[in-house]
Amino acid sequence: MCVAVLLPDKAEAQFGLRGGPLGVARFAVGHMIGMSRLRHARMAVRGGRYRSAALRSQDPRGAERGQPANPYVLRAALTAQAALSGWQGGRRQQGWWRHPDGSYGWVGPVFWPFAHDDLTTAVIFGDTTSLSLYGYGDIYAAIFAPYVATELAAYVAPQGRGARRIPSAETLCEASDAGSLPVERITAAVAPNELQRTALDELASAWNAARDTIRTACPTQAPATAAERLGLMRERLQAMIKAIDAVAPPLSKFVSLLNDDQKTRLNALANERRAALAAALPKDAPAAAACKPDYDPRYDEKAQRQYEQLVQQQWPVAEIASALKLDEVARARLDVLQDTTLRTMETLSACPAEAAATPQARLAAVKARLETMLQAVGGVSDALDDFEADLSDEQKAGFEAIGPKRGA
């Protein structure tokens, strides 16, 4: 398969993606053409309408009409409000760093709101949709932040009564990671005996401790540079991996105490969620087509055009080099940064992976995904460090200013 159909000549020659451009094309289809129908399907599964998108210190996602609390519709509204409240004075209705489901990977200085909920949804309910949307776009947003320094600072600075209503990073982390293990649904499904119930309580305690572990990675200061933002990404991902490691033993203990029938009923929670998502998703949805195993991007001209537009819009390397007055060495390092970041489209494809059959296997799969993303962020961080190694303070400041200028 020819990589040239999807990558610029320079990127092809210098980098050479391994495994073909399937992930890149799927990213282009899923993110640039849009996953609106997938978004509508997930909202339909969520059921009900949210009453308010206002941020509160308590959990704002109370169950409605008897439905379990899930971060679908309200998550999109809450994170959209929070992400845009400080950006460009809140004048824009959308942000270019928005996820296809309507939420945001970056909300001010906070990376991965609803991280704990996403882990619960993926492990217990087998729905990795939200998890799969984190990738290239969030890494790019860390390099070229949409916020200027004063806007980011507003999320961590004390505010008087007359200040614009911008949620603090702490409040956002409290609200977005307030979920816990769905003990009542698990209890209803498996009808545990006394010994099993004790193990389930231990698992629930570990799940809450995992939530607290993730909260400790909430930023207390506004990141001033791309390097600091990538560092925040690493800290958040490391906290999520640490949380997964902590819940693995009690999860294994609880499941091992179940008989075969109970295990089947526990796994049915995930089967029901996947079936509901599949039923609500139109068969002709573009993202679904792009994620099929037999999808061939060579015959998807629209995906190719979207990807080319993405590269041209987000990476005008010649313009950046000219504005920063880069010499040949710095220009070459900028090319490497671009290529390394674009590579994350392949390694972090937006296509949700087929969920494993058991909670333990799904937990392992989620950890593997997070470790892959952590490695990708580390690679981009190294490329950024190399690029900035010999830049002057003026050039570094000019590079940091590119993001907000491009988002205006």
Side-chain angles (χ1 to χ4, degrees):
M1 183 176 295
C2 181
V3 182
V5 298
L6 285 173
L7 288 178
D9 292 340
K10 181 176 293 185
E12 177 199 4
Q14 293 184 351
F15 206 72
L17 293 180
R18 291 177 295 176
L22 284 173
V24 175
R26 287 168 179 167
F27 178 92
V29 173
H31 287 252
M32 304 311 296
I33 295 178
M35 295 176 73
S36 60
R37 293 182 180 179
L38 175 59
R39 178 173 68 249
H40 294 159
R42 298 180 70 229
M43 289 181 175
V45 173
R46 167 63 175 86
R49 293 179 297 175
Y50 58 86
R51 296 189 180 92
S52 172
L55 280 169
R56 299 187 292 273
S57 59
Q58 67 272 27
D59 183 3
R61 295 158 296 138
E64 301 174 13
R65 303 180 184 178
Q67 296 291 324
N70 283 311
Y72 285 157
V73 177
L74 188 52
R75 170 202 300 219
L78 185 150
T79 54
Q81 180 198 40
L84 297 175
S85 61
W87 179 63
Q88 304 294 333
R91 293 190 295 271
R92 291 282 294 274
Q93 296 301 311
Q94 299 185 34
W96 54 257
W97 68 108
R98 189 174 192 172
H99 282 188
D101 69 347
S103 61
Y104 289 79
W106 281 95
V107 178
V110 180
F111 171 66
W112 207 314
F114 295 103
H116 187 254
D117 276 346
D118 282 344
L119 297 184
T120 303
T121 302
V123 174
I124 303 301
F125 297 110
D127 180 3
T128 60
T129 308
S130 293
L131 194 79
S132 68
L133 297 181
Y134 282 85
Y136 165 80
D138 306 296
I139 296 173
Y140 179 87
I143 299 173
F144 299 104
Y147 304 91
V148 297
T150 53
E151 290 166 347
L152 276 178
Y155 286 86
V156 295
Q159 300 179 46
R161 293 183 179 180
R164 190 175 63 224
R165 295 179 64 86
I166 298 177
S168 69
E170 181 180 5
T171 298
L172 180 61
C173 290
E174 291 272 343
S176 63
D177 284 334
S180 59
L181 190 73
V183 174
E184 293 183 2
R185 293 196 66 186
I186 294 175
T187 300
V190 305
N193 58 33
E194 185 175 351
L195 181 62
Q196 294 166 343
R197 179 67 204 210
T198 299
L200 179 57
D201 290 340
E202 293 175 356
L203 175 59
S205 296
W207 216 272
N208 288 335
R211 174 197 61 202
D212 295 337
T213 296
I214 296 173
R215 282 179 178 172
T216 61
C218 187
T220 57
Q221 296 181 342
T225 66
E228 291 179 3
R229 290 186 291 273
L230 289 169
L232 284 175
M233 292 185 76
R234 292 197 302 271
E235 291 176 10
R236 189 76 162 167
L237 291 166
Q238 289 168 345
M240 294 173 71
I241 294 171
K242 182 179 179 180
I244 286 176
D245 288 338
V247 301
L251 177 63
S252 179
K253 177 183 178 181
F254 169 66
V255 175
S256 69
L257 293 173
L258 302 178
N259 59 41
D260 290 343
D261 180 60
Q262 288 174 312
K263 291 177 181 178
T264 298
R265 283 182 271 145
L266 177 62
N267 292 332
L269 295 176
N271 296 334
E272 292 169 2
R273 172 67 65 87
R274 291 198 298 272
L277 285 170
L281 182 65
K283 294 182 180 180
D284 61 345
C291 290
K292 290 181 179 179
D294 59 351
Y295 173 75
D296 192 334
R298 292 177 300 178
Y299 305 107
D300 193 336
E301 295 181 0
K302 190 172 185 179
Q304 295 177 29
R305 290 196 302 270
Q306 293 288 350
Y307 175 72
E308 291 168 358
Q309 291 173 8
L310 171 74
V311 175
Q312 292 172 2
Q313 292 170 1
Q314 294 192 348
W315 292 95
V317 175
E319 295 178 18
I320 295 174
S322 176
L324 301 183
K325 298 179 175 59
L326 301 181
D327 59 24
E328 292 184 3
V329 173
R331 169 61 191 268
R333 290 173 175 172
L334 178 59
D335 289 337
V336 172
L337 174 61
Q338 176 197 27
D339 295 340
T340 304
T341 308
L342 288 171
R343 172 67 179 276
T344 65
M345 290 188 193
E346 178 75 14
T347 57
L348 299 170
S349 170
C351 293
E354 183 68 26
T358 67
Q360 302 101 303
R362 291 193 289 271
L363 189 76
V366 169
K367 179 180 178 180
R369 169 75 182 192
L370 294 176
E371 288 178 334
T372 298
M373 187 166 189
L374 181 61
Q375 185 177 9
V377 173
V380 173
S381 182
D382 289 344
L384 177 67
D385 289 343
D386 290 342
F387 167 61
E388 294 189 329
D390 297 322
L391 297 186
S392 67
D393 291 342
E394 183 180 1
Q395 287 173 313
K396 292 178 181 178
F399 186 70
E400 291 298 331
I402 289 173
K405 288 180 179 179
R406 304 260 305 278

Coordinates of all heavy atoms in Angstrom, one line a residue, residues 16-49:
G16 N 8.3 7.4 7.1 CA 8.0 6.0 6.7 C 7.2 5.3 7.7 O 7.7 4.5 8.5
L17 N 5.8 5.5 7.8 CA 5.0 4.9 8.7 C 5.0 3.4 8.5 O 4.9 2.9 7.4 CB 3.5 5.4 8.6 CG 3.3 6.8 8.9 CD1 1.8 7.2 8.7 CD2 3.7 7.1 10.4
R18 N 5.1 2.7 9.6 CA 5.1 1.2 9.6 C 3.6 0.8 9.6 O 2.8 1.3 10.4 CB 5.9 0.6 10.7 CG 7.4 0.8 10.6 CD 8.0 0.3 11.8 NE 7.7 1.0 13.0 CZ 8.1 0.7 14.2 NH1 8.8 -0.4 14.4 NH2 7.7 1.4 15.3
G19 N 3.3 -0.3 8.9 CA 1.9 -0.8 9.0 C 0.9 -0.2 8.1 O -0.2 -0.5 8.2
G20 N 1.3 0.8 7.3 CA 0.4 1.4 6.3 C -0.4 2.5 7.0 O -0.4 2.7 8.2
P21 N -1.1 3.3 6.1 CA -1.8 4.5 6.6 C -3.2 4.3 7.0 O -4.0 5.2 7.0 CB -1.7 5.4 5.3 CG -1.9 4.3 4.2 CD -1.1 3.1 4.7
L22 N -3.6 3.1 7.4 CA -5.0 2.8 7.8 C -5.5 3.7 8.9 O -6.5 4.3 8.9 CB -5.2 1.4 8.1 CG -5.2 0.4 6.9 CD1 -5.3 -1.1 7.5 CD2 -6.5 0.6 6.1
G23 N -4.6 3.8 9.9 CA -5.0 4.6 11.1 C -5.1 6.1 10.7 O -6.0 6.8 11.2
V24 N -4.3 6.6 9.9 CA -4.3 8.0 9.4 C -5.6 8.2 8.7 O -6.3 9.2 8.9 CB -3.1 8.3 8.5 CG1 -3.2 9.7 8.0 CG2 -1.8 8.2 9.3
A25 N -6.0 7.3 7.8 CA -7.2 7.5 7.0 C -8.4 7.4 7.9 O -9.4 8.2 7.7 CB -7.3 6.5 5.9
R26 N -8.4 6.5 8.8 CA -9.5 6.4 9.8 C -9.6 7.6 10.6 O -10.7 8.0 11.0 CB -9.3 5.1 10.6 CG -9.6 3.9 9.8 CD -9.1 2.6 10.6 NE -9.4 1.4 9.7 CZ -8.9 0.2 10.0 NH1 -8.1 0.1 11.0 NH2 -9.2 -0.8 9.2
F27 N -8.5 8.2 11.0 CA -8.6 9.4 11.7 C -9.2 10.5 10.9 O -10.1 11.3 11.3 CB -7.2 9.9 12.2 CG -7.2 11.2 12.9 CD1 -7.2 11.2 14.3 CD2 -7.1 12.4 12.2 CE1 -7.3 12.4 14.9 CE2 -7.1 13.6 12.9 CZ -7.2 13.6 14.2
A28 N -8.8 10.6 9.6 CA -9.3 11.6 8.7 C -10.8 11.4 8.6 O -11.6 12.4 8.6 CB -8.7 11.5 7.4
V29 N -11.3 10.2 8.4 CA -12.7 10.0 8.2 C -13.5 10.3 9.5 O -14.5 11.0 9.6 CB -13.0 8.5 7.8 CG1 -14.5 8.2 7.8 CG2 -12.4 8.3 6.4
G30 N -12.9 9.7 10.6 CA -13.6 9.8 11.9 C -13.7 11.2 12.5 O -14.7 11.7 13.0
H31 N -12.6 12.0 12.3 CA -12.5 13.3 12.9 C -12.7 14.5 11.9 O -13.3 15.5 12.4 CB -11.1 13.5 13.5 CG -10.9 12.7 14.8 ND1 -10.9 13.3 16.0 CD2 -10.8 11.3 15.0 CE1 -10.7 12.3 16.9 NE2 -10.7 11.2 16.3
M32 N -12.4 14.3 10.7 CA -12.5 15.4 9.8 C -13.9 15.4 9.1 O -14.5 16.4 8.9 CB -11.4 15.5 8.8 CG -10.0 15.5 9.4 SD -9.8 16.8 10.7 CE -10.0 18.2 9.7
I33 N -14.3 14.2 8.6 CA -15.6 14.1 8.0 C -16.6 14.2 9.1 O -17.7 14.8 9.0 CB -15.8 12.8 7.2 CG1 -14.8 12.8 6.0 CG2 -17.2 12.6 6.8 CD1 -14.9 11.5 5.2
G34 N -16.3 13.6 10.3 CA -17.2 13.7 11.4 C -17.8 12.4 11.9 O -18.0 11.5 11.1
M35 N -18.0 12.3 13.2 CA -18.6 11.1 13.7 C -20.0 11.5 14.3 O -20.4 11.1 15.4 CB -17.7 10.5 14.8 CG -16.4 10.0 14.2 SD -15.3 9.3 15.4 CE -16.1 7.8 15.9
S36 N -20.7 12.4 13.7 CA -21.9 13.0 14.2 C -23.0 11.9 14.5 O -23.7 11.9 15.4 CB -22.5 14.0 13.3 OG -22.8 13.5 12.0
R37 N -23.0 10.9 13.5 CA -24.0 9.9 13.7 C -23.7 9.0 14.9 O -24.5 8.5 15.6 CB -24.2 9.1 12.4 CG -24.8 9.9 11.3 CD -25.0 9.1 10.0 NE -25.6 10.0 9.0 CZ -25.8 9.6 7.7 NH1 -25.6 8.3 7.4 NH2 -26.3 10.4 6.9
L38 N -22.4 8.7 15.0 CA -21.9 8.0 16.2 C -22.3 8.7 17.5 O -22.8 8.1 18.4 CB -20.4 7.7 16.1 CG -19.8 7.0 17.3 CD1 -20.4 5.7 17.6 CD2 -18.3 6.9 17.1
R39 N -22.1 10.0 17.4 CA -22.4 10.8 18.6 C -23.9 10.7 18.9 O -24.3 10.6 20.1 CB -22.0 12.3 18.3 CG -22.4 13.2 19.5 CD -21.9 14.6 19.3 NE -22.5 15.3 18.2 CZ -21.9 15.6 17.0 NH1 -20.7 15.3 16.8 NH2 -22.5 16.3 16.1
H40 N -24.8 10.8 17.9 CA -26.2 10.7 18.1 C -26.6 9.3 18.7 O -27.5 9.2 19.5 CB -26.9 11.0 16.8 CG -26.8 12.4 16.3 ND1 -27.0 12.8 15.0 CD2 -26.4 13.5 17.0 CE1 -26.7 14.1 14.9 NE2 -26.4 14.5 16.0
A41 N -25.9 8.3 18.2 CA -26.2 7.0 18.7 C -25.9 6.9 20.1 O -26.6 6.3 20.9 CB -25.4 6.0 17.9
R42 N -24.7 7.4 20.5 CA -24.3 7.3 21.9 C -25.3 8.1 22.8 O -25.6 7.7 23.9 CB -22.9 7.8 22.1 CG -21.9 6.9 21.3 CD -20.5 7.4 21.5 NE -20.0 7.1 22.9 CZ -19.4 8.0 23.6 NH1 -19.2 9.2 23.2 NH2 -19.1 7.7 24.9
M43 N -25.7 9.2 22.3 CA -26.7 10.0 23.1 C -28.0 9.3 23.2 O -28.7 9.4 24.3 CB -26.9 11.4 22.4 CG -25.7 12.3 22.5 SD -26.0 13.9 21.7 CE -24.5 14.8 22.2
A44 N -28.4 8.6 22.2 CA -29.7 7.9 22.2 C -29.6 6.8 23.3 O -30.5 6.5 24.0 CB -30.0 7.3 20.9
V45 N -28.4 6.1 23.3 CA -28.3 5.0 24.3 C -28.3 5.6 25.7 O -28.8 5.0 26.7 CB -26.9 4.3 24.1 CG1 -26.7 3.3 25.2 CG2 -27.0 3.6 22.8
R46 N -27.7 6.8 25.9 CA -27.7 7.5 27.2 C -29.1 7.7 27.7 O -29.5 7.5 28.8 CB -26.9 8.8 27.1 CG -27.1 9.7 28.3 CD -26.6 9.1 29.6 NE -26.7 10.0 30.7 CZ -27.7 10.2 31.5 NH1 -28.8 9.5 31.3 NH2 -27.7 11.0 32.5
G47 N -30.0 8.1 26.8 CA -31.4 8.3 27.1 C -31.6 9.6 27.9 O -30.8 10.0 28.7
G48 N -32.8 10.2 27.8 CA -33.2 11.4 28.6 C -32.4 12.6 28.1 O -31.6 12.6 27.3
R49 N -32.8 13.7 28.7 CA -32.1 15.0 28.4 C -31.5 15.6 29.7 O -32.1 15.4 30.7 CB -33.2 16.0 27.8 CG -33.7 15.6 26.4 CD -34.8 16.6 26.0 NE -35.9 16.6 26.9 CZ -36.9 17.5 26.7 NH1 -36.9 18.4 25.8 NH2 -37.9 17.4 27.6

